Amino acid sequence: MTLFDDTATHLPSSHFIHGAARDEASIKKDRKAADENFVEFWAMQAKELEWRTPWTTDCHFEAPRAKWFEDGRLNVTDSCLKRHALGTNANKRAILWEGEPGDTRTLTYLELYQEVQKAALGLRKLGVEAGDRVAIYMPLVPEAIIAMQACAFLGATHSVVFGGFSSDSLRDRINDAECKVLITADGGYRKGRVIPLASIAHEATRDNCCPSLENVVVLKRIGSVDESNLFKDGGFFQTMSWAELIVEDAHDFEATSLEAEHPLFILYTSGTTGKPKGVVHSTGGYLTQAAYTFRTVFDHRKDDIFWCSADVGWVTGHSYLAYGPLANGSTIFMYEGAPMTPDAGRFWSMIEKYHISVFYTAPTAIRAFMKHGPEVPSNYDLSSLRLLGSVGEPINPEAWEWYHEHIGSGRCPIVDTWWQTETGAIMVSPLPSETPTKPGSATREIPGIKLEILREDGSPAGENESGYLVSKQPWPSMMRTVWGDDERFQKTYWSKFKGAYFTGDSARRDSDGYIWIGGRVDDVVNVSGHRLGTMEIESSLLNHPAVVESAVVSRPDDLSGEAIVAFVTLQGSIPLDKKLSDEVKAQVTKDIGAFARPADVRFVEALPKTRSGKIMRRLLRQLAREGVINGDITSLEDKSIVTKLLAER
Ligand code: PRX
């Protein structure tokens, strides 16, 4: 293997290989089978799931439409719960949970299955049927997974909204999918504080703002809110506690048999336009790839304790906290709170306490740990770890090496996994017994996936030439549409190159065939692994009464990967001060959530525009990143703006 970019190549350690579930030869067999016929390969993986009715056609693909295992019928809870609960895994621990204050819970597969049956029957009594939508706005507690599985049990499509989203964002999502039920909690703990979820949900739904809602269910997590009073003022829908929802006698309740293409969930994600899109995922195809990638990328062993630190409100939490591990009968660990609470050793103390063997987190978290120094993890026994994972943003080689050395003691391979909300499951990743790794590269496509890198004119980019990352081949967990806006689905993903799904990322492939992701080429920024549309933030800034115009770009940041810089013009004679800057930032927290808050707000006299009035974000991006503007300014209407912008810096 040649080395590229002077990055060191890491081979899987003998320690890992010795204890691995799958060896190199068996992974090579998967690659060979997938290379010969990727559709048959995926069909073979689908057979690992429980089906009520087998399918006859593996895949029907006519871009942009793909259908996998179309005439087969299943319910994902048969694979994720029932087969374990009623089989030899009944007493196996499914969920180990720890709350931020230190409270703990354990649920076996049998207990989890029964809890899901009880919640599902409760929802059925509220009139929830296959095809209805249910919004879930919860802290990271076992009931979040129970609620998702209860929806899947009935065939109700769930829409999980991350608990960090504002009331406005929650309202928009409930209304876009016309959810019938909202499941929330009185609160959750984060950074030693209570996030008052029920109050935010109340704000979102009051005054008949969400006409489709018939019921709100509130879990008591904190115990500080009287939820029955909270929602009583409107009378537009019924409110009940989680305890009231649960139907104790539900052990005979059977899950609904569904078509493979039935929409399992909607998950909203940011794009180029202001309005987030509801990415729709299927049942059979989605679970096939979530389950296969979980067992293959994370080398699933029966005795593993797997910890994915993502929130269930993001796609990583869907595929690798909930569906993928449960489909494989794995034991998952789930932690409610923040990584640095009460101190920087929290994660490592839990790895020691729960004997976590596989740990999957985001580069942002790793960089935050690096700042506290290697002494912190060195105080804990991390010897249970055998494999580490990374997701959500490019991992810089320095963070990769730190993770490898100080968390993995040099013996744990790192799987840097590239994928997206839209792809549903991992697409590019090393397979730990097989793939030598290069820090900073997610390496190669997993078996059954083939990506291409194209030039602007659609021709293939050459070796090490940067281009657009696309897939011309369908894959089982690909998104099926944008909820309620199929045209947008076609336009956003399938119009740049005919017959190809465009990821929105740039990439290059080196001489070893390894993929190096260059980042987004659209108006999407990635802050601490959270994906945000710059237009969403711009619309929020305009909600502040003093703001006339805004343009949002990003600059690199040591900790969060990218940080948001907002350029803003103001009404007439408003005085510039720190207070105003804080107020403008607070507007974004209010409208979207604290995770979208700009790092810098720069008040400028005017924004650089072309003669046709388009804001030249490219110039602002350069200013925010390099402190200069020396690009092509020929299309700029008023060239004197450059001098002013530089002076205002
Ligand atoms: O730009 C890529 C980046 O995150 C985007 C997808 O974001 P989201 O839909 O929120 O899903 C994140 C979790 C799967 C991608 O278009 N990204 C994700 N993983 C990586 C990455 N960039 C580089 N390396 C990765 N491993």
Side-chain angles (χ1 to χ4, degrees):
M1 163 158 297
T2 53
L3 296 184
F4 190 74
D5 276 358
D6 290 324
T7 48
T9 302
H10 293 259
L11 297 169
S13 67
S14 54
H15 176 274
F16 176 80
I17 289 180
H18 184 69
R22 295 195 63 181
D23 62 8
E24 188 181 351
S26 90
I27 298 289
K28 291 257 188 292
K29 253 171 81 180
D30 276 14
R31 290 215 191 267
K32 187 162 176 287
D35 287 346
E36 279 166 11
N37 188 328
F38 74 94
V39 170
E40 273 175 26
F41 169 77
W42 283 120
M44 225 158 65
Q45 306 314 323
K47 287 186 184 137
E48 300 282 320
L49 305 178
E50 297 291 315
W51 291 81
R52 300 268 179 102
T53 312
W55 68 93
T56 55
T57 313
D58 293 337
C59 176
H60 183 264
F61 177 56
E62 211 173 308
R65 217 56 64 199
K67 293 189 168 156
W68 285 85
F69 323 120
E70 193 185 352
D71 54 347
R73 296 185 78 88
L74 75 162
N75 186 290
V76 294
T77 64
D78 290 355
S79 297
C80 293
L81 304 171
K82 190 176 178 185
R83 65 173 164 182
H84 312 302
L86 304 187
T88 49
N89 276 339
N91 295 321
K92 181 172 179 176
R93 295 171 309 168
I95 299 180
L96 306 174
W97 174 85
E98 186 163 310
E100 195 181 79
D103 44 341
T104 61
R105 277 168 72 189
T106 304
L107 283 133
T108 64
Y109 268 97
L110 182 59
E111 287 164 342
L112 182 61
Y113 179 52
Q114 289 172 340
E115 290 309 309
V116 169
Q117 282 180 307
K118 292 177 196 174
L121 189 53
L123 289 171
R124 169 57 49 80
K125 295 213 157 147
L126 297 182
V128 176
E129 299 282 348
D132 288 338
R133 273 85 54 211
V134 174
I136 299 175
Y137 184 63
M138 306 264 283
L140 209 49
V141 293
E143 281 79 4
I145 291 184
I146 295 171
M148 289 161 78
Q149 293 281 329
C151 290
F153 192 97
L154 300 172
T157 302
H158 60 69
S159 165
V160 182
V161 181
F162 170 54
F165 273 114
S166 66
S167 55
D168 288 357
S169 301
L170 175 61
R171 182 188 310 121
D172 290 348
R173 285 158 175 74
I174 293 172
N175 288 340
D176 187 72
E178 296 175 291
C179 295
K180 202 165 171 179
V181 176
L182 164 65
I183 305 177
T184 186
D186 56 355
Y189 293 99
R190 189 139 184 110
K191 296 189 184 164
R193 291 196 302 267
V194 168
I195 310 289
L197 294 168
S199 303
I200 302 168
H202 176 234
E203 188 58 35
T205 56
R206 64 194 296 168
D207 303 328
N208 206 15
C209 276
C210 300
S212 60
L213 266 192
E214 292 175 11
N215 288 92
V216 176
V217 179
V218 187
L219 172 82
K220 210 182 250 315
R221 158 80 184 115
I222 307 294
S224 59
V225 179
D226 181 358
E227 67 276 3
S228 52
N229 268 334
L230 188 65
F231 288 90
K232 278 278 149 67
D233 55 350
F236 299 107
F237 45 76
Q238 283 192 9
T239 309
M240 60 168 55
S241 68
W242 177 272
E244 287 167 323
L245 172 80
I246 295 302
V247 178
E248 281 303 329
D249 186 14
H251 53 267
D252 291 333
F253 193 38
E254 278 292 329
T256 311
S257 170
L258 301 160
E259 289 169 5
E261 284 296 315
H262 185 79
L264 176 63
F265 67 86
I266 304 170
L267 190 57
Y268 286 83
T269 190
S270 297
T272 342
T273 62
K275 196 170 158 256
K277 347 177 236 281
V279 169
V280 177
H281 278 292
S282 72
T283 294
Y286 168 77
L287 195 66
T288 296
Q289 196 170 331
Y292 173 74
T293 48
F294 175 77
R295 68 177 166 270
T296 311
V297 173
F298 299 112
D299 187 57
H300 171 57
R301 255 170 53 166
K302 284 194 173 66
D303 59 348
D304 271 332
I305 313 279
F306 178 78
W307 180 16
C308 162
S309 74
D311 192 279
V312 83
W314 307 112
V315 74
T316 308
H318 281 59
S319 302
Y320 302 106
L321 186 62
Y323 289 108
L326 295 178
N328 286 285
S330 182
T331 300
I332 55 171
F333 172 66
M334 205 177 166
Y335 165 60
E336 176 190 32
M340 303 293 173
T341 307
D343 56 53
R346 181 64 187 263
F347 268 27
W348 321 126
S349 78
M350 293 189 297
I351 288 178
E352 176 181 294
K353 179 174 167 191
Y354 293 97
H355 309 291
I356 309 289
S357 53
V358 182
F359 177 51
Y360 189 34
T361 196
T364 290
I366 300 165
R367 288 191 295 265
F369 294 130
M370 280 171 81
K371 237 181 73 183
H372 291 266
E375 312 75 61
V376 180
S378 75
N379 287 327
Y380 298 89
D381 177 5
L382 304 181
S383 60
S384 57
L385 287 172
R386 65 183 193 93
L387 180 61
L388 301 171
S390 172
V391 63
E393 49 179 324
I395 176 163
N396 46 315
E398 199 193 353
W400 196 106
E401 296 287 2
W402 192 91
Y403 195 31
H404 189 244
E405 184 182 339
H406 297 294
I407 307 304
S409 293
R411 68 170 193 279
C412 303
I414 296 180
V415 288
D416 172 6
T417 61
W418 177 91
W419 56 297
Q420 312 177 291
T421 307
E422 293 88 341
T423 68
I426 294 170
M427 304 286 277
V428 181
S429 171
L431 300 181
S433 320
E434 184 233 27
T435 322
T437 46
K438 299 186 196 184
S441 167
T443 75
R444 298 167 55 194
E445 295 94 322
I446 59 157
I449 300 299
K450 189 168 154 239
L451 301 181
E452 291 176 48
I453 299 170
L454 303 182
R455 298 185 179 126
E456 189 70 45
D457 65 3
S459 62
E463 193 177 290
N464 278 317
E465 181 185 340
S466 185
Y468 300 103
L469 187 65
V470 309
S471 177
K472 291 185 181 164
Q473 191 172 289
W475 64 99
S477 63
M478 64 201 280
M479 75 180 284
R480 299 306 199 254
T481 185
V482 170
W483 181 264
D485 198 348
D486 192 64
E487 207 183 312
R488 190 164 171 207
F489 166 65
Q490 301 190 31
K491 207 169 144 231
T492 311
Y493 303 103
W494 296 89
S495 66
K496 188 160 178 69
F497 302 105
K498 197 171 162 12
Y501 165 83
F502 174 41
T503 60
D505 277 355
S506 72
R508 65 179 167 84
R509 205 186 275 275
D510 72 15
S511 54
D512 294 314
Y514 279 30
I515 293 174
W516 296 79
I517 302 291
R520 304 288 306 195
V521 292
D522 51 9
D523 295 320
V524 168
V525 292
N526 195 324
V527 179
S528 300
H530 293 148
R531 180 169 153 181
L532 297 160
T534 51
M535 303 251 302
E536 263 175 272
I537 302 168
E538 288 168 8
S539 335
S540 161
L541 291 165
L542 295 183
N543 289 338
H544 190 281
V547 174
V548 176
E549 272 190 311
S550 72
V552 165
V553 297
S554 73
R555 61 161 166 80
D557 183 89
D558 283 350
L559 222 59
S560 55
E562 287 181 78
I564 293 165
V565 181
F567 290 88
V568 160
T569 64
L570 295 172
Q571 303 271 12
S573 56
I574 291 172
L576 302 185
D577 58 12
K578 165 103 177 42
K579 198 168 138 268
L580 186 61
S581 163
D582 288 346
E583 261 183 51
V584 168
K585 290 179 186 174
Q587 184 72 42
V588 180
T589 304
K590 179 185 170 291
D591 292 341
I592 304 174
F595 61 93
R597 192 180 150 96
D600 305 331
V601 173
R602 301 203 193 158
F603 298 113
V604 294
E605 195 182 307
L607 294 173
K609 288 186 187 163
T610 60
R611 274 174 217 99
S612 58
K614 248 182 101 184
I615 298 173
M616 293 184 72
R617 287 185 178 71
R618 173 170 60 80
L619 303 183
L620 296 173
R621 209 169 290 136
Q622 198 193 12
L623 180 63
R625 288 178 188 188
E626 301 161 32
V628 293
I629 298 181
N630 55 17
D632 178 8
I633 55 163
T634 41
S635 47
L636 198 62
E637 187 185 21
D638 173 4
K639 306 218 170 21
S640 72
I641 282 203
V642 171
T643 325
K644 285 183 193 153
L645 283 170
L646 288 168
E648 274 155 348
R649 194 149 46 97

